[in-house]
Amino acid sequence: MTDRPPFFSVVIATRNREALLAETLDALVDQRWPGDRFEILVADNGSTDGTRAVVRRVTTRSSSPRIHYRYVAQLGKSHAVNAILPEVSGSLVALTDDDVCPEPDWLERLAAAFTETHADFVAGRILPRWECEPPAWLSSTLYGVLAIPDNGEVRLTLGPGGDGQGVIPIGANMAVRTSVIRRLGGLRDDLGKLSGTLRTGEDHEFYLRMLQAGCCGVYEPTARVRHFVPRERLEPSYFCRWVYQNGRDVSRLESAYATAVRKLFGVPRYLWRQAAADAAATLGALFVADERRRFATFVRLIWFGGYVRNAWWGRST
């Protein structure tokens, strides 16, 4: 006699993306995972389009799992996610976004990772779904700006001493044991996406909180999703604004989760060294016409500026 497969609660926060949300829901309904072993919870964060009708239409499909819809008026992705988390029924919460299409074996591969590693959380692989051909100046080192950080094809251990030190789980493809969420709480509502801003950091902060609580995790490359990358984000100005805000957000988080790293003028020494190297590389790229390298090092300098800005003056603003 075999054990029953775990029950997943798939949580999606959405706002005014009815067409993309329809694709996400279709991809979830088409999962190979048994339909009676997962549910979908949609937190509608103040949508004024046809989001509610899209969800209602999917619930009428004969193959659809149980779907919960909740309207959350208070704007902010973190508010939306937190509002619906108390309604989850599963032992595992799988987080994704309303512009993401999970592959048919997504839940299957997440479940296997939990079973095989006994992890508290699992971060999956995120691949791009481009609306248009990416520009010549865009290198893969900047894919994190677009929420498509491809961390490779090898399973990695996340946490102190693990081999996945550069991997930061994000809400487009992450699963967590419900018991962990019940113990630690939801997302910080002063972080995360808010209409009209490029505010980030809610996923990063939750990851740091799990590590601080002694949780262990894995990066599972076979649990794959495709994240839509719209044309309007493929502009240099978007990257510059995003990295500056992210630098501020990371500085803020690191000040809350202090480490033993050595600092100079309130900023980790290794960041000063990296900034000097990036400045030299940016100048050097001018002479070899290396457009990708020049832009990548330039935006890292902007990120550093955001980090310093918050480290020096963040507490007073």
Side-chain angles (χ1 to χ4, degrees), residues 24 96-97 99-103 125-130 147-148 172-173 224-229:
T24 300
T96 192
D97 289 334
D99 54 357
V100 168
C101 286
E103 299 206 345
R125 190 177 187 187
I126 303 173
L127 300 172
R129 188 161 59 105
W130 306 103
I148 50 171
N173 189 0
R224 297 175 298 184
V225 304
R226 303 274 173 176
H227 200 165
F228 180 69
V229 182

Side-chain angles (χ1 to χ4, degrees), residues 44-314:
D44 181 355
N45 196 205
S47 293
T48 56
D49 62 357
T51 291
R52 186 189 296 265
V54 165
V55 177
R56 187 183 302 118
R57 186 162 58 248
V58 175
T59 62
T60 64
R61 291 179 54 177
S62 59
S63 57
S64 174
R66 189 162 69 238
I67 298 180
H68 302 269
Y69 170 90
R70 181 183 180 93
Y71 186 85
V72 182
Q74 187 171 9
L75 296 184
K77 178 185 175 181
S78 295
H79 288 298
V81 171
N82 289 343
I84 208 165
L85 280 177
E87 300 178 24
V88 304
S89 302
S91 61
L92 299 173
V93 175
L95 299 167
T96 192
D97 289 334
D98 58 1
D99 54 357
V100 168
C101 286
E103 299 206 345
D105 62 347
W106 179 56
L107 291 177
E108 185 179 299
R109 300 316 310 159
L110 287 174
F114 277 108
T115 300
E116 294 167 9
T117 69
H118 306 289
D120 296 304
F121 61 94
V122 176
R125 190 177 187 187
I126 303 173
L127 300 172
R129 188 161 59 105
W130 306 103
E131 183 178 21
C132 63
E133 191 71 19
W137 47 262
L138 178 59
S139 63
S140 59
T141 60
L142 295 177
Y143 279 8
V145 175
L146 303 170
I148 50 171
D150 183 359
N151 293 297
E153 301 179 354
V154 178
R155 179 184 283 176
L156 303 170
T157 302
L158 306 182
D163 51 6
Q165 293 299 314
V167 179
I168 303 295
I170 64 175
N173 189 0
M174 177 170 64
V176 185
R177 293 190 186 275
T178 305
S179 58
V180 171
I181 295 175
R182 297 281 189 253
R183 178 159 57 98
L184 301 183
L187 302 178
R188 278 258 301 265
D189 55 21
D190 60 332
L191 300 170
K193 293 180 178 62
L194 183 65
S195 181
T197 77
L198 293 175
R199 196 174 67 176
T200 60
E202 79 283 11
D203 305 327
H204 192 172
E205 190 279 334
F206 187 72
Y207 173 55
L208 294 175
R209 206 183 330 150
M210 287 194 291
L211 296 184
Q212 188 180 64
C215 297
C216 60
V218 295
Y219 163 70
E220 177 51 56
T222 65
R224 297 175 298 184
V225 304
R226 303 274 173 176
H227 200 165
F228 180 69
V229 182
R231 183 188 306 270
E232 61 266 22
R233 291 188 182 177
L234 299 176
E235 296 290 340
S237 59
Y238 176 84
F239 278 74
C240 293
R241 289 184 291 113
W242 191 96
V243 297
Y244 181 77
Q245 180 62 49
N246 183 254
R248 296 192 64 184
D249 293 336
V250 171
S251 175
R252 181 181 178 189
L253 290 178
E254 290 187 350
S255 66
Y257 291 88
T259 63
V261 65
R262 297 180 65 187
K263 295 184 177 182
L264 177 66
F265 302 122
V267 175
R269 288 177 179 268
Y270 76 90
L271 288 181
W272 288 108
R273 291 193 296 270
Q274 181 64 55
D278 287 335
T282 300
L283 292 174
L286 293 174
F287 298 100
V288 295
D290 189 339
E291 190 175 14
R292 289 188 176 188
R293 182 183 179 190
R294 181 169 64 248
F295 188 71
T297 54
F298 175 67
V299 296
R300 282 202 298 268
L301 286 172
I302 294 177
W303 182 93
F304 179 71
Y307 190 103
V308 172
R309 162 69 170 77
N310 190 82
W312 289 358
W313 298 292

